[in-house]
């Protein structure tokens, strides 16, 4: 079920603070965040976030199309290289 | 023979049923169309006058996305997701279920027919 509109979009407050600071400063470096659950807001467009995936921060360049989605959607948490059996079958 | 939006409608069926042969029009919107151009739902396609067919065609053109346009729109939406590099796009690229369904078993609609795995017995 979708979130109630009256609550507004959810963003962890430290993300907002960091983004604002980066905007005021040179805004060149990657903003490291752990908050995968935060919504991408219009004022984040053009910034680069390092979204944590449990192991490292994946750089995400925010574009206009991403607004409204969550940061976690751009930082995959699983690595999958396929099954051993599949590779054997392909080699033959 | 009635052609609407590039599709031949079956002549012997009731109008709302026949309209569902067009991609993008289901029973609900078909009935809504009949209502809008005031055609009785019990009438059949071969009983319609040319003017009535024209009215239906114009109504659909003005208010609904159908056939090729609709397919193109869906394809564009999927392509947009794939280009973004988001999780949903990734799932589309791999031809796996997009909305969090299990893939341990099932998910055959997206994965296609089961492939035999070499060396798996018992």
């Amino acid at each position: 079920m979708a979130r109630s509109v009256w609550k507004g979009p959810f963003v962890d407050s430290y993300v907002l603070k960091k983004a604002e600071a980066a905007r005021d400063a040179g805004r060149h470096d990657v903003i490291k965040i752990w908050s995968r659950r935060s919504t991408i807001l219009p004022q984040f467009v053009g910034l680069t976030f390092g979204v944590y995936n449990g192991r490292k921060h994946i750089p995400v360049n925010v574009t206009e199309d991403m607004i409204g989605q969550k940061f976690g959607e751009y930082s995959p948490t699983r690595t999958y290289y396929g099954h051993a059996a599949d590779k054997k079958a392909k080699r033959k | 023979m009635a052609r609407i939006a590039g599709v031949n409608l079956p002549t012997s069926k009731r109008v709302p049923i026949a309209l569902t042969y067009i991609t993008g029009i289901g029973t609900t919107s078909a009935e809504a169309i009949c209502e809008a151009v005031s055609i009785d739902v019990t009438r059949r396609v071969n009983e319609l006058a040319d003017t009535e067919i024209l009215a239906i065609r114009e109504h659909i053109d003005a208010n609904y996305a159908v056939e090729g346009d609709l397919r193109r729109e869906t394809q564009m939406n999927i392509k947009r997701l794939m280009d973004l590099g988001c999780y949903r796009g990734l799932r589309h690229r791999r031809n796996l279920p997009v909305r969090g369904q299990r893939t341990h078993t099932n998910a055959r609609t997206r994965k296609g027919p089961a492939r035999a795995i070499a060396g798996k017995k018992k």
Side-chain angles (χ1 to χ4, degrees):
Chain A
M1 191 196 269
R3 182 181 166 88
S4 298
V5 178
W6 60 266
K7 291 181 184 177
F10 175 81
V11 187
D12 271 323
S13 56
Y14 84 88
V15 175
L16 269 177
K17 244 182 265 170
K18 276 190 171 180
E20 221 161 90
R23 180 132 288 213
D24 294 341
R27 63 127 94 164
H28 279 296
D29 44 346
V30 175
I31 308 163
K32 278 192 181 182
I33 59 169
W34 283 259
S35 170
R36 298 167 53 82
R37 58 187 186 169
S38 290
T39 314
I40 297 175
L41 298 179
Q43 60 257 43
F44 296 160
V45 171
L47 299 173
T48 307
F49 290 88
V51 184
Y52 197 59
N53 71 354
R55 199 158 64 90
K56 57 182 183 183
H57 295 271
I58 306 287
V60 176
N61 224 329
V62 176
T63 60
E64 245 171 82
D65 284 338
M66 296 180 180
I67 293 167
Q69 288 173 301
K70 302 285 196 278
F71 279 111
E73 289 189 58
Y74 293 93
S75 174
T77 54
R78 284 155 213 250
T79 38
Y80 172 68
Y81 296 107
H83 294 298
D86 285 351
K87 275 179 200 155
K88 236 185 252 171
K90 263 179 209 164
R91 248 179 253 154
K92 274 172 192 174
Chain B
M1 185 164 290
R3 274 183 78 87
I4 293 178
V7 185
N8 282 324
L9 296 186
T11 45
S12 57
K13 289 192 188 284
R14 283 172 41 216
V15 178
I17 305 297
L19 285 177
T20 61
Y21 279 65
I22 303 167
T23 310
I25 291 178
T27 36
T28 311
S29 39
E31 275 161 19
I33 291 164
C34 289
E35 180 109 314
V37 295
S38 52
I39 288 171
D40 196 73
V41 287
T42 55
R43 291 179 66 194
R44 289 169 195 276
V45 175
N46 51 13
E47 298 165 4
L48 288 179
D50 282 351
T51 51
E52 285 168 320
I53 290 170
L54 203 72
I56 292 176
R57 195 175 294 148
E58 273 166 8
H59 186 74
I60 289 176
D61 280 348
N63 298 300
Y64 294 90
V66 290
E67 286 297 320
D69 286 343
L70 180 66
R71 285 200 200 99
R72 209 168 311 123
E73 201 184 313
T74 353
Q75 280 309 312
M76 286 301 289
N77 290 344
I78 292 172
K79 201 176 145 10
R80 185 180 61 87
L81 285 175
M82 293 206 280
D83 292 341
L84 268 178
C86 68
Y87 184 73
R88 278 175 68 196
L90 228 86
R91 300 299 280 183
H92 272 298
R93 266 186 256 158
R94 299 245 171 106
N95 268 339
L96 287 168
V98 176
R99 299 184 178 174
Q101 299 97 321
R102 69 156 20 204
T103 52
H104 186 129
T105 65
N106 299 336
R108 269 9 281 200
T109 306
R110 291 287 287 178
K111 286 169 123 183
R115 297 176 295 266
I117 297 163
K120 192 186 179 183
K121 273 191 178 169
K122 278 182 195 173

